[in-house]
Amino acid sequence: MVTEKTLVIIPTYNEADNIRPLVESILERYPQSLDLLVIDDGSPDGTAGIVREIMRTESRVTLLTRPAKLGLGTAYLMGFRYALEKGYERVIEMDADFSHDPAAIALLSGGLKNADLVIGSRYMNNTVNVVNWPLSRLILSKSASIYTRWITGMPVSDPTSGFKCISAKALRSIALDRVHSQGYSFQIEIDFRIWKKGLVIHEVPIIFVDRSIGKSKMTRHNIVEAVWMVWWLKLLSITGRL
């Protein structure tokens, strides 16, 4: 079930080819049942301008802009704070490149009935639901999931997933001002902080389809950060400083 108190947060950087069809797809599929927040990092390709055009006829879309590419994590944190300030009951994290199917928003939102965080998982029940990824990227992602679970003990099969639904209760329970990671690490950190608060995490199966337009934003820095971040989170938890 999707309610009018649901906010879909979509960070963007150079997504001019994707953002209009994605926003229109979501709005058409969920008429009057959710709002969209696009957070654009100064895309030189005019992404923000396209969103402004949509906003002229669609009141459910909001745009926040930043002067430069400041990272996925800080974009989502901005979106989380906006959602809490505006009284939303839940937020959906979603990529702008159609790798996350708008049809699955209802599945994520519905799962929140009995949970505080619902993760769209690519790797549930020993399966791999990923389309069009090179083998090297798939191995990296799957290995990161196994590594994270091994180090942290977190019972999540896909902790790096960026398609998830989070309750306002969960967002209020964690210290957003202490979250500083990006990319893979940001998703891991949010999951871990919610889990350590004793809140309920569920996973639902999704099919992840790699982008067909534009370039991936994944960097070597994101990968390195994820490797040491899991140890840092574990240390913070052990010392009571999470």
Side-chain angles (χ1 to χ4, degrees):
M1 179 179 180
V2 179
T3 75
E4 67 277 6
K5 288 297 184 179
T6 298
L7 181 68
V8 178
I9 304 173
I10 307 174
T12 57
Y13 183 75
N14 284 349
E15 295 291 355
D17 292 328
N18 290 311
I19 193 62
R20 183 184 294 278
L22 177 64
V23 168
E24 291 178 347
S25 175
I26 296 171
L27 294 177
E28 180 179 358
R29 186 176 293 274
Y30 305 101
Q32 300 180 342
S33 61
L34 51 72
D35 295 333
L36 276 73
L37 173 65
V38 177
I39 302 175
D40 185 67
D41 273 4
S43 298
D45 70 347
T47 300
I50 294 172
V51 177
R52 291 190 184 97
E53 291 178 4
I54 297 172
M55 290 170 60
R56 292 173 185 169
T57 57
E58 183 49 72
S59 61
R60 290 190 290 147
V61 179
T62 298
L63 172 69
L64 297 179
T65 59
R66 306 194 297 175
K69 190 176 182 182
L70 302 176
L72 182 73
T74 55
Y76 272 128
L77 291 174
M78 175 183 283
F80 293 165
R81 293 186 175 101
Y82 175 92
L84 294 176
E85 290 171 2
K86 299 297 183 180
Y88 287 95
E89 297 171 356
R90 65 194 71 188
V91 302
I92 302 282
E93 288 188 20
M94 188 174 191
D95 288 350
D97 59 5
F98 277 101
S99 57
H100 298 148
D101 185 357
I105 289 176
L107 179 64
L108 292 175
S109 182
L112 210 65
K113 181 178 180 180
N114 300 307
D116 302 289
L117 165 63
V118 179
I119 299 171
S121 176
R122 299 161 290 186
Y123 307 127
M124 284 186 69
N125 304 318
N126 295 316
T127 61
V128 176
N129 292 319
V130 176
V131 179
N132 294 336
W133 258 5
L135 182 59
S136 59
R137 179 75 182 273
L138 178 59
I139 292 173
L140 174 64
S141 175
K142 181 62 176 176
S143 299
S145 297
I146 295 171
Y147 174 79
T148 298
R149 183 165 182 158
W150 176 59
I151 300 299
T152 66
M154 186 167 50
V156 173
S157 63
D158 192 1
T160 65
S161 171
F163 196 18
K164 61 186 63 173
C165 183
I166 312 172
S167 70
K169 171 188 173 183
L171 291 178
R172 286 192 295 265
S173 74
I174 61 178
L176 295 179
D177 59 339
R178 296 183 184 179
V179 179
H180 301 292
S181 51
Q182 301 290 333
Y184 270 158
S185 313
F186 176 80
Q187 305 300 351
I188 294 169
E189 184 170 359
I190 293 298
D191 296 350
F192 185 77
R193 288 181 179 275
I194 290 174
W195 175 59
K196 293 304 289 186
K197 287 294 182 180
L199 300 179
V200 178
I201 299 177
H202 285 173
E203 290 184 270
V204 295
I206 63 164
I207 296 176
F208 179 95
V209 181
D210 194 23
R211 66 163 62 237
S212 59
I213 300 175
K215 297 181 179 180
S216 171
K217 309 303 190 298
M218 178 60 62
T219 66
R220 183 178 298 274
H221 173 76
N222 294 148
I223 298 170
V224 172
E225 183 185 42
V227 171
W228 66 261
M229 179 57 70
V230 292
W231 289 101
W232 180 243
L233 291 172
K234 184 172 183 178
L235 177 62
L236 291 177
S237 178
I238 291 173
T239 59
R241 296 184 292 125
L242 191 64

